[in-house]
Each structure stands twice: as structure tokens, then as C-alpha cells.
Amino acid sequence: MSHLPPNPSQPEPGLSHFPIFLELARRAVGVIGDGAAADTKAALLARAGAEVRRWSTPPDAAAFAGLVLVIAALDDAEAVRACQSAARAAGALFNAVDQPAVCDFQVPSMIERGPMTIAIGTGGAAPTLARTVRSRIEAAVPPAYGALARMSQRLRPTVRRLLPRDGDRRRFWQAMATGRPADLMLAGQPIAAEREAERLLADSTPPPPLVHLVGAGPGDPELLTRRAARLIAEADVILHDALIGPEILTLARRDARLIDVGKRCGRHRHSQADINALLVAEAQPGRVVVRLKGGDPFVFGRGGEEAEHLATHGIDVAIVPGITAALGAAASLKRALTRRGVAGTLTVATGHPQSDGAEPDWEALGRVGGSLAIYMGSRSAHRLAAELIAGGRPPETPAWVVEHATLPTERTCHTTLRLLGNAVASNRFTGPTMVLIGEALAEPVPPPCAATVATATERSTSPACRSGAPVSA
Ligand code: SAH
């Protein structure tokens, strides 16, 4: 029986705590206790401009009048409770160090970058995790962000005056946060950054239209490139395939327009012509338009056609490569696609006929050897396996079928070229499915250690699967 809730990928409803940043300048707060923890809290409150009142033991209830918040750092549970009820009676928010059960609020883990404060809280559920997350964020947000935030603060009134239009202002702040000024500030050149910001302010002509053709990888959001993740987060409009999972789309801005061009509209799917026309219509000066595709945009993704179409309309394209499904599947299987002395070629092929009916010459590919990665190949698996064998590929060549590679719903099946058609048919793969064929895939790399043998055996080399019978994930 599983100890996990049925669907751990679903976000929990509701917030455990409501995060706010309190304005404490010249407001009275209380700290009770005389240890190091009390000193730290008092110092922090003082830095926020609060007027800190200190007691080493709980004062009379009257002393709590007018306090905005009270923090007790006391060992004596009885004394803590007395402070709690006095604080409550006075209408002050209460916190006791290391005693989450009696707290009205938590003091989060913090990162300070000038006027920007990043606070991380787990409501006491996982303080160590909060510290880990904090060090990751610290690495991702270097101290120069503080200077960037201060520069933004200084420029704010000028920007409001010089750029009255919403769109212009948003573009300017976007450029400040991610463009040249940010690059220069992060490179330790504050003066050049300031000059660049002024130049941007003086010239607010929007940049010419541009569409980013972005590969989203095989499915696991961790396999997005950093550039893909950044563009998804910055986009005004995202035109995405049906295969792009909700976890990746949650990276988008709340006000971004998400258009599922893989979805049926009315009775018809968006045709490629519709998508091309939509891309041209959406590409407007200054708008960040992302065309998001599964895997890599240039591997059976029709990215080339879209790029050409945009170019004929004078619209620039930028390409962000992604991890293609074959690589995601091989990584999940821990099997190499090339191997010295075993597989010196990797052929990438589609099992789905092109619009003109053209198909790869499977018999010829049967003579090539090496590894073969077949996209969209599950439906025609039976026929193409027979043709590969007719071309000379040994029937016992190892073959793998991987559905939903890199996603929690991934299913894999190990078989041989001879049994490939049966394996695909009996497992009813209905999701995106990758077929990998070749001797290099026979053994996992590195060789299985004690801990992985069980899963490898269970998942992949089950006799049922070899005979084409159903497998589970
Ligand atoms: N541009 C994509 C391929 C698009 S064609 C890429 O580079 O991966 C769509 C086909 O890709 C699917 O039919 C399937 O064969 C394969 N595919 C895409 N995502 C997959 C996944 N997560 N697992 C297995 N196959 C996948």
C-alpha cells in the first residue's frame, strides 16, 4: 500500500500561511527573553525600523498595550503561554521561538537583496528544506540584484513620468530585469548599467516582432533549459502543443495568454496553416511570443516550417533547443544510444508518413545497424519491424518502447525487434511513445548495482513483456 496521497503532483488546496511584509517603521514591538535568540530577533526588528521594547521575563499585561507584535524567546512553557494570552488580549501578533504550536506567525528564512526581500516559510513543516531552498535561491539571485533593485527604486518616478503607457513601462522593466542593464549590473558594472537604463528610457521604441521557437523537452519540467524556463516565465503569449504538461505551463505569468494549438477547436485540430497564421498575428512589436513545442523544435516538430513562414512575413525567430524525446527515453532507461564497438550511428526516424506519403526506407535502415530512435512509430511498429528484419536486422535485436518518457506516468517495455509489434499492441500505448532499437541498448550503464536490479528486472525485462504481454509502469 502506498503511503503517499493519491495524486502528489496536484497542488494542495489552500495556503498553509498567508505571507505578508509588515511595515514596522516607528511601530512598537516586544521581545521577551535574554538569550541569543531574543537578541537576534530584537536586532532584526530594529533593522526594520521598529521601536523594540525588551524584557527578560514576561512583563505585566499592561506593558503589551499598543504593540504590533510580540516575540518570546523563553524556555519556560508556562511563561510563554502567559505572554501569548497577554499579547492576544492586546491585539498583538504573537510568536514564540521554536514553539510553532503557539505562534500566530512564523519568521521566515530570509534573503536580502537591497530593498528586495525573499522570504521562505514552510509553516514549520520542513525547516531543513527551507534552508536548502534558501541556499539555492541565494545562488540564483546574486547580491548584485540588490543594486539592481535599488536602481529600479530610484528610477521609478522618472519611468512613470516618461513612459505613461502601460505596455512601454512593462517593456522597460522587463529590459531592466533581464536585459542589458541587468547583465551589466550582475557583471559588477553599476555605472554602465545605469547608463544603459537611461538609454533605454530615452528610446522606448519597441523592438521588432520576434517569435521564440522553444523546445520544452520530453516532459519533466526539470529537463527544461534555463533559457526555455526564463522565456516561458516572461512570455506575453504562449502557443503550445497538447503535449506540454501543466507543470511546465505553471511557469508562465498569471496574465500570460496560453493558446493550446494542439487542441481540437470545434471539430478540427488547428491545422499547420492555422498555427502559422496565428503566429504571424500574435507576433507584434515588443510582445514576447513563445511557440512552445515538446522535445526539440527542429526534431519532427515542424519548427523549420514555422520559422520559414515567419521569415516570409518579415518576423524574426530565435530558436531554443530542447532535449528531444529519444534522449529523454534513453536516459530513463539508463541505456546508451551509441557505444564504442557496438553502435557507431544513431538514426532518428519517424514512423508516421509525411504529408506526401513519403516514409523512411525501413529495409535500407535495416542494413545500417547502430541504434534507431523511432518517433510516432507505435502504430506502424509491426510493419516497420518486419521491414527492418527483411533488410537484414537480426530479429533478436533488443528493442524498447517508452511511453511518456521522463514523466511520472512513464511506462517502458523491453522486447525484441521480432516481438515489437505484439508488445506495442498488447500494451495499448496511447500516449506519446518512443521506440528505441539496437544492440547498444541491451545493457544499462552503469551496470546495475544491488539497489537497481529489482526495479530494472521488474520494469523492463519481465518475460511477459518479452512475449508482448502487458507491462505496468
Ligand atoms: N519535437 C519532439 C517530437 C515531436 S513528434 C521531440 O523532439 O521530442 C511527437 C512524437 O515524439 C511522439 O509521437 C513520440 O513518438 C515522441 N515523444 C514526444 N514526447 C515523448 C515522451 N515524453 N515519451 C515518449 N515519446 C515522446
Side-chain angles (χ1 to χ4, degrees), residues 218-219 243 294-297 299-301 323-326 374-377 402-407 432-434:
L243 282 183
D296 181 273
V299 179
F300 304 125
I323 294 179
T324 191
I374 307 173
Y375 292 68
M376 298 169 274
V402 185
E403 184 194 40
H404 289 300
T406 78
L407 288 164
T433 303
M434 190 74 223

Side-chain angles (χ1 to χ4, degrees), residues 73-442:
L74 300 164
D75 291 332
D76 176 4
E78 204 48 49
V80 167
R81 260 192 303 277
C83 291
Q84 183 197 25
S85 40
R88 288 252 167 101
L93 292 169
F94 182 71
N95 172 283
V97 174
D98 290 336
Q99 299 188 48
V102 296
C103 291
D104 295 323
F105 66 94
Q106 312 284 334
V107 180
S109 219
M110 259 184 287
I111 301 165
E112 291 180 64
R113 296 291 184 254
M116 176 162 68
T117 310
I118 303 169
I120 304 140
T122 63
T128 310
L129 190 62
R131 276 195 292 278
T132 311
V133 169
R134 183 185 129 152
S135 40
R136 291 204 181 167
I137 297 176
E138 271 184 326
V141 185
Y145 272 89
L148 195 58
R150 267 193 294 274
M151 178 164 87
S152 300
Q153 195 173 35
R154 266 200 314 279
L155 287 173
R156 198 154 281 277
T158 320
V159 172
R160 207 169 295 133
R161 189 162 41 81
L162 294 182
L163 304 177
R165 282 199 315 207
D166 265 7
D168 291 343
R169 267 205 308 275
R170 190 145 57 74
R171 229 172 0 259
F172 172 80
W173 289 122
Q174 192 68 55
M176 279 286 287
T178 58
R180 284 287 292 159
D183 291 345
L184 289 163
M185 192 63 96
L186 295 177
Q189 300 176 42
I191 295 167
E194 186 113 21
R195 218 177 294 131
E196 183 62 19
E198 274 158 18
R199 197 195 58 74
L200 267 175
L201 252 179
D203 174 16
S204 66
T205 22
L210 167 74
V211 171
H212 301 269
L213 288 185
V214 180
D220 180 349
E222 290 268 294
L223 294 177
L224 282 170
T225 61
R226 291 169 72 147
R227 192 177 299 169
R230 176 169 64 75
L231 285 168
I232 295 169
E234 286 172 13
D236 295 300
V237 187
I238 300 177
L239 297 99
H240 65 91
D241 289 343
L243 282 183
I244 307 296
E247 269 201 76
I248 287 180
L249 294 175
T250 54
L251 298 176
R253 286 196 340 241
R254 272 161 191 251
D255 62 338
R257 206 145 44 83
L258 303 184
I259 307 174
D260 182 350
V261 294
K263 208 177 195 162
R264 285 170 194 279
C265 63
R267 282 174 47 235
H268 302 285
R269 242 170 217 281
H270 283 279
S271 66
Q272 190 60 48
D274 292 343
I275 297 174
N276 290 349
L278 205 54
L279 280 171
V280 170
E282 291 296 338
Q284 311 251 325
R287 196 185 272 176
V288 182
V289 182
V290 166
R291 169 71 177 106
L292 192 60
K293 292 165 170 294
D296 181 273
F298 282 172
V299 179
F300 304 125
R302 305 189 76 166
E305 289 162 59
E306 290 174 14
E308 267 165 35
H309 184 81
L310 288 162
T312 59
H313 285 77
I315 298 164
D316 231 348
V317 285
I319 312 295
V320 181
I323 294 179
T324 191
L327 305 184
S332 285
L333 296 171
K334 289 199 195 166
R335 274 157 165 89
L337 291 166
T338 65
R339 201 176 187 126
R340 267 200 296 172
V342 180
T345 59
L346 166 62
T347 307
V348 171
T350 169
H352 187 74
Q354 308 286 288
S355 47
D356 58 1
E359 258 203 272
D361 181 342
W362 297 106
E363 280 200 37
L365 287 176
R367 288 190 290 278
V368 173
S371 299
L372 190 55
I374 307 173
Y375 292 68
M376 298 169 274
S378 53
R379 265 197 224 146
S380 44
H382 197 85
R383 180 176 51 81
L384 60 88
E387 290 178 25
L388 286 167
I389 293 171
R393 201 82 206 230
E396 296 311 314
T397 309
W400 284 88
V401 188
V402 185
E403 184 194 40
H404 289 300
T406 78
L407 288 164
T409 46
E410 175 176 288
R411 288 198 301 159
T412 62
C413 172
H414 186 198
T415 180
T416 61
L417 195 49
R418 182 169 62 86
L419 296 170
L420 179 65
N422 287 347
V424 170
S426 57
N427 284 295
R428 294 195 184 83
F429 293 109
T430 50
T433 303
M434 190 74 223
V435 176
L436 298 176
I437 298 167
E439 289 75 11
L441 294 145

